[in-house]
Amino acid sequence: MKYNKIDSALFIKNRKNFTSQMQSNSIAVFNSNDIYPVSADSTLPFEQHRDIFYLSGVDQEESILVMFPDCPNSKNREILFLKETNAHIAIWEGEKLTKEAALATSGIKTVYWLQDLEKVMAEIMSQSDTVYINTNEHYRANVETETREDRFTKWLKNKYPAHSVAKSNPILQRLRSIKDQTEIDLIQTACDITNKGFRRVLGFVKPGVWEYNIEAEFMHEFLNNRSDGFAYTPIIGSGNNANVLHYIENNQECKAGDLILIDAGAKYANYASDMTRTIPVSGKYNDRQKAVYNAVLRVKNAATKLLVPGTLWAEYHVEVGKLMTSELLGLGLIDKADVKNENTDWPAYKKYFMHGTSHHMGLDTHDYGLLHEPMQANMVFTVEPGIYIPDEGFGIRLEDDVVIQKSGEPFNLMRDIPIEIDEIEDLMNR
């Protein structure tokens, strides 16, 4: 891995938090992701399943974590199963985790090779009553591929049909949504790398560059700073492309007078950052662009202050809608009649701001978190209002990542990334 070693104390603490919420005499199992084929012998780059990483720090394919806190044999209360490494694998694929390296990474003392899985599982399943399976219950999930976890769950339930089944996901949704300080530091590192990439881009953009040139500048800076690359597919939308919310083609020329909406963030140690800035191709915003930009910025700043412990996600978005409505009235994009006659299920402001303002962020860009439960300290949220005006040929979105504090305003992890018009113009025209 490119990133620096993470202290195993984080993963030891995460496992302790998880097992404290398990039923008595139960087992929980977590699998690595598959390496997905493309065609012939080609594969996609490996991406570790965030849950097993969160609980073990293991960033390797064909790994399984088993936790059985009530096991009669204390040796088997935490187990890692790994693909056995050898000299042939080391030559062709690179060195894999040894048992000693796995202990140093995870803090787990008992490590078996995968060929021992069925034998060990037969022993510990006979000593347990319930097994926790790990299903994907994220509110945005739409998975059509059968995962390694899915296959293992089918095998486990078929092999041991008399066991009660419980769900890991509700526990993880709550645990992962509240970040340890080590996790916040890792997200901060990702944001700092994103800052370097954005400043590089500010000195690079001019009329005639192409959207993919800008994407390449980010990638250059990310890789040079120990990032694995983008935390998600970047959006580099110039002109009217900014009005396509998930525009990822990034294949158009950036023309004088246009704006470029840049939604891009570095990944570091599997932790995401998620930034959006909107900059002028020619290095200067015109008056209309400035007016809309500052309206979005005011909404972002005011919305950020609402992210405090106890806030409910749905109520927060209603309040942000009121802020945006006021700004759109001031810009002349809607009028009082539009507001008076609006459909409460799709308010007038949604014509120009049709997406949500915030989502949890962490190991996943759209991270775990139960939206019906109140916000808590040490949750990390994005704040990303936007105004999209296809008739005028531009859209503006601004986005920072913030940490909710026990009291007061959230802490902005992107406080050093330029966002004010004057600073952006100054950096672009040096």
Side-chain angles (χ1 to χ4, degrees):
M1 303 304 145
K2 297 181 179 70
Y3 56 84
N4 290 308
K5 186 179 183 302
I6 302 170
D7 191 331
S8 63
L10 172 64
F11 310 115
I12 293 170
K13 178 181 177 181
N14 290 346
R15 290 194 300 277
K16 182 178 179 181
N17 288 339
F18 185 94
T19 56
S20 70
Q21 298 188 43
M22 291 172 64
Q23 299 176 27
S24 61
N25 215 37
S26 62
I27 290 175
V29 187
F30 300 89
N31 280 265
S32 291
N33 276 334
D34 282 317
I35 297 178
Y36 290 98
V38 177
S39 181
D41 62 346
S42 299
T43 62
L44 295 174
F46 176 68
E47 283 277 351
Q48 182 58 296
H49 195 297
R50 300 305 191 239
D51 290 337
I52 191 173
F53 181 82
Y54 176 79
L55 293 166
S56 71
V58 170
D59 208 347
Q60 181 175 294
E61 73 280 7
E62 296 186 58
S63 303
I64 300 174
L65 168 66
V66 177
M67 296 186 291
F68 184 8
D70 295 329
C71 185
N73 180 355
S74 60
K75 177 183 177 183
N76 287 336
R77 289 175 184 168
E78 293 184 333
I79 305 170
L80 271 176
F81 293 94
L82 302 175
K83 178 180 179 180
E84 184 172 6
T85 190
N86 55 44
H88 176 81
I89 290 172
I91 290 171
W92 286 92
E93 300 178 24
E95 186 176 342
K96 302 295 182 181
L97 284 173
T98 63
K99 292 183 178 182
E100 295 74 21
L103 169 60
T105 297
S106 67
I108 296 174
K109 296 178 182 179
T110 302
V111 182
Y112 297 115
W113 300 131
L114 272 176
Q115 56 259 37
D116 295 324
L117 175 69
E118 291 200 34
K119 178 181 69 175
V120 175
M121 287 299 292
E123 176 185 341
I124 62 176
M125 289 294 280
S126 71
Q127 299 165 343
S128 65
D129 301 315
T130 301
V131 58
Y132 280 81
I133 61 171
N134 193 29
T135 51
N136 186 349
E137 298 179 18
H138 190 275
Y139 66 99
R140 292 186 184 222
N142 181 22
V143 182
E144 297 182 1
T145 303
E146 185 178 57
T147 65
R148 187 180 188 86
E149 195 82 79
D150 295 334
R151 295 195 306 276
F152 186 87
T153 295
K154 284 201 298 190
W155 171 82
L156 191 69
K157 291 170 73 175
N158 182 65
K159 182 82 172 176
Y160 302 100
H163 277 69
S164 297
V165 174
K167 300 192 299 183
S168 296
N169 195 261
I171 299 175
L172 286 168
Q173 289 269 15
R174 292 184 176 92
L175 291 181
R176 277 183 49 184
S177 67
I178 301 173
K179 307 299 187 281
D180 182 89
Q181 186 58 49
T182 299
E183 294 183 282
I184 292 171
D185 292 343
L186 292 168
I187 299 170
Q188 181 67 76
T189 299
C191 291
D192 292 343
I193 296 170
T194 300
N195 181 23
K196 292 180 180 180
F198 182 60
R199 289 176 181 272
R200 179 185 182 93
V201 162
L202 288 177
F204 169 80
V205 167
K206 60 184 178 182
V209 305
W210 292 68
E211 293 164 347
Y212 57 76
N213 297 143
I214 297 170
E215 183 177 345
E217 293 296 308
F218 272 108
M219 182 60 88
H220 178 101
E221 200 67 31
F222 289 178
L223 292 179
N224 269 339
N225 284 277
R226 289 184 174 269
S227 167
D228 288 329
F230 292 99
Y232 52 92
T233 305
I235 296 167
I236 316 288
S238 61
N240 242 328
N241 293 334
N243 294 309
V244 180
L245 296 183
H246 292 129
Y247 171 81
I248 57 172
E249 284 79 4
N250 302 344
N251 62 3
Q252 298 299 305
E253 184 179 359
C254 302
K255 298 176 180 178
D258 279 349
L259 299 180
I260 311 168
L261 188 154
I262 299 171
D263 190 336
K267 178 177 67 174
Y268 180 79
N270 289 316
Y271 283 86
S273 63
D274 190 356
M275 175 205 75
T276 307
R277 294 293 187 268
T278 307
I279 65 174
V281 175
S282 301
K284 292 285 185 182
Y285 300 88
N286 65 34
D287 289 344
R288 178 60 170 174
Q289 291 166 348
K290 283 183 180 180
V292 177
Y293 188 104
N294 283 324
V296 174
L297 184 57
R298 285 192 294 270
V299 172
K300 188 192 79 70
N301 291 340
T304 300
K305 295 177 182 179
L306 300 175
L307 294 173
V308 296
T311 296
L312 288 171
W313 189 82
E315 294 176 359
Y316 161 74
H317 279 94
V318 170
E319 293 304 310
V320 176
K322 294 176 183 176
L323 295 169
M324 182 58 78
T325 297
S326 176
E327 293 294 347
L328 293 176
L329 286 167
L331 292 168
L333 290 168
I334 60 176
D335 57 31
K336 291 182 179 180
D338 293 323
V339 178
K340 182 178 179 180
N341 299 319
E342 70 184 9
N343 179 345
T344 54
D345 293 330
W346 192 256
Y349 76 84
K350 287 288 189 180
K351 179 177 179 181
Y352 297 98
F353 174 39
M354 60 293 296
H355 57 78
T357 310
S358 295
H359 57 77
H360 291 85
M361 206 206 64
L363 278 169
D364 288 295
T365 306
H366 298 125
D367 205 26
Y368 279 3
L370 297 170
L371 300 183
H372 61 276
E373 296 189 355
M375 297 178 186
Q376 299 181 51
N378 279 27
M379 287 184 172
V380 177
F381 279 92
T382 63
V383 189
E384 50 180 310
I387 295 175
Y388 309 92
I389 320 175
D391 290 345
E392 298 184 34
F394 69 92
I396 294 173
R397 181 165 69 249
L398 301 172
E399 176 182 20
D400 284 335
D401 305 333
V402 304
V403 188
I404 293 180
Q405 304 294 291
K406 289 181 179 178
S407 61
E409 296 181 20
F411 181 76
N412 189 351
L413 297 169
M414 292 186 161
R415 63 202 175 279
D416 295 330
I417 302 180
I419 196 168
E420 296 288 345
I421 283 176
D422 290 346
E423 185 178 9
I424 289 173
E425 288 184 341
D426 179 63
L427 289 169
M428 293 188 75
N429 287 284
R430 285 183 180 177

